């Protein structure tokens, strides 16, 4: 069972994930959501298997049904496992630093305080969730803050375009002679998968001009662009990526236009405003 063609969701580690389960908004990862959701009607749940570190654990997945009055446009999938059971304990070991931190904060605050505790920015761990060829089996891959720091150190020496090229095309530059750490490789792969997921979502069309370049050659040459530059933000979530054609990608990096998320358009330095034509995920 390979995860080569799988889709992925990246979830920030929090107390719930470490003890009993997690939720996945379908909107952010449409392709992933379709795969997970296609066998579940709203309100339905079914048993699934989760693989972590080569071990298989039982869990359930539920397509949460929202009442109309709450006006939720998108579905949420909820993965649940036994509270502090085998899988939760395994996650607590893998993410021990996060677990200890969250535990400490919970102990020290008022009993009634139920606000979600976020990990500090420089200590965030993530869990990547990959689909497999089996609808009911998913692979969990921990992304530790150490991995993220390794990427930050690595990315420091390169331009945004170089890093993005590596992610879009998986270029291994033999001349660089750089010892790429496991953490860097892991995040590069994860980033590429998230980008590939989006490319499929847009049928390889540029979100700005709508063109699918290379169709007549049976090729797809669209690229994933990071809205907040990855080398600075280290944010590879789907909501920080958009799919663009090579021309638009070049001009964006040449001009560094400002992207306004509220109206989904770029403002270039000469004042030219260019909106996004295709959008399913931002
Ligand atoms: Zn374009
Ligand atoms: Zn870019």
């Amino acid at each position: 069972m390979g995860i080569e063609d799988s889709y992925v969701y990246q979830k920030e580690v929090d107390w719930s994930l470490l003890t009993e389960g997690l939720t996945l908004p379908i909107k952010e990862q449409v392709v992933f959501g379709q795969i997970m959701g296609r066998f579940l009607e709203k309100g339905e749940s079914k048993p699934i298997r989760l693989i972590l570190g080569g071990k298989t654990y039982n869990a359930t997945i539920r397509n949460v049904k929202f009442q109309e009055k709450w006006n939720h446009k998108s579905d949420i999938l909820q993965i649940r496992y036994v509270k502090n059971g085998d899988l939760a304990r395994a996650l607590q070991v893998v993410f021990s630093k996060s677990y200890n931190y969250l535990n400490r904060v919970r102990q020290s605050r008022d009993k009634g305080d139920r606000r979600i505790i976020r990990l500090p920015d420089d200590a965030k761990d993530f869990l990547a969730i990959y689909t497999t060829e089996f609808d009911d089996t998913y692979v969990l891959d921990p992304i530790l803050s150490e991995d993220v720091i390794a990427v930050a150190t690595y990315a420091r020496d390169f331009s945004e375009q170089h890093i993005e090229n590596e992610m879009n095309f998986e270029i291994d530059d033999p001349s660089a002679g750089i010892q790429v750490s496991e953490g860097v490789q892991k995040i590069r792969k994860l980033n590429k998968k998230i980008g590939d997921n989006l490319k499929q979502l847009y049928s390889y069309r540029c979100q700005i001009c709508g063109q699918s370049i290379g169709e007549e050659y049976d090729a797809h040459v669209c690229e994933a662009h990071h809205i907040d530059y990855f080398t600075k933000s280290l944010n590879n979530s789907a909501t920080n990526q958009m799919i663009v054609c090579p021309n638009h990608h070049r001009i964006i990096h040449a001009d560094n236009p400002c992207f306004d998320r509220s109206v989904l358009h770029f403002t270039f330095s000469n004042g030219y405003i260019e909106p996004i034509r295709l959008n399913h995920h931002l």
Side-chain angles (χ1 to χ4, degrees), residues 92-151:
Q92 289 163 16
V93 170
V94 170
F95 296 112
S96 59
K97 258 196 237 166
S98 289
Y99 180 67
N100 292 335
Y101 174 88
L102 295 169
N103 211 3
R104 266 202 314 278
V105 177
R106 286 171 59 87
Q107 302 283 334
S108 65
R109 69 177 182 175
D110 291 343
K111 269 262 173 323
D113 193 345
R114 298 189 149 263
R115 279 173 298 176
I116 289 174
I117 307 161
R118 308 285 303 265
L119 293 164
D121 276 346
D122 58 353
K124 281 193 198 307
D125 292 332
F126 298 90
L127 186 65
I129 306 162
Y130 292 88
T131 59
T132 66
E133 61 209 274
F134 305 108
D135 268 354
D136 61 354
T137 305
Y138 303 90
V139 173
L140 306 178
D141 191 21
I143 309 290
L144 299 171
S145 58
E146 290 93 285
D147 298 331
V148 179
I149 289 164
V151 170

Side-chain angles (χ1 to χ4, degrees), residues 164 225-226 249 253:
E164 278 193 328
H225 168 67
H226 292 76
H249 206 182
H253 282 281

Side-chain angles (χ1 to χ4, degrees), residues 160-161 164 168 223-227 229 244 249 252-253:
E160 176 74 10
Q161 274 174 296
E164 278 193 328
N168 276 296
E223 299 169 6
H225 168 67
H226 292 76
I227 298 167
Y229 282 7
V244 289
H249 206 182
I252 286 170
H253 282 281

Side-chain angles (χ1 to χ4, degrees), residues 26-65:
I26 294 182
K27 180 173 171 266
E28 285 181 24
Q29 289 280 356
V30 177
V31 178
F32 185 58
Q34 279 166 354
I35 287 183
M36 286 188 120
R38 72 179 173 212
F39 57 91
L40 277 183
E41 295 295 323
K42 273 190 185 170
E44 262 185 13
S45 64
K46 69 171 275 181
I48 53 167
R49 278 188 283 274
L50 300 173
I51 300 173
L52 175 71
K55 264 193 85 175
T56 305
Y57 301 88
N58 293 318
T60 55
I61 187 164
R62 198 158 81 91
N63 188 346
V64 178
K65 189 181 177 177

Side-chain angles (χ1 to χ4, degrees), residues 211-224:
Q211 286 199 69
S212 167
I213 307 292
E215 236 170 25
E216 55 273 57
Y217 310 99
D218 289 332
H220 305 297
V221 291
C222 61
E223 299 169 6

Side-chain angles (χ1 to χ4, degrees), residues 206 208-210 244-245 248:
C206 174
I208 302 173
C209 64
V244 289
C245 68
H248 271 114

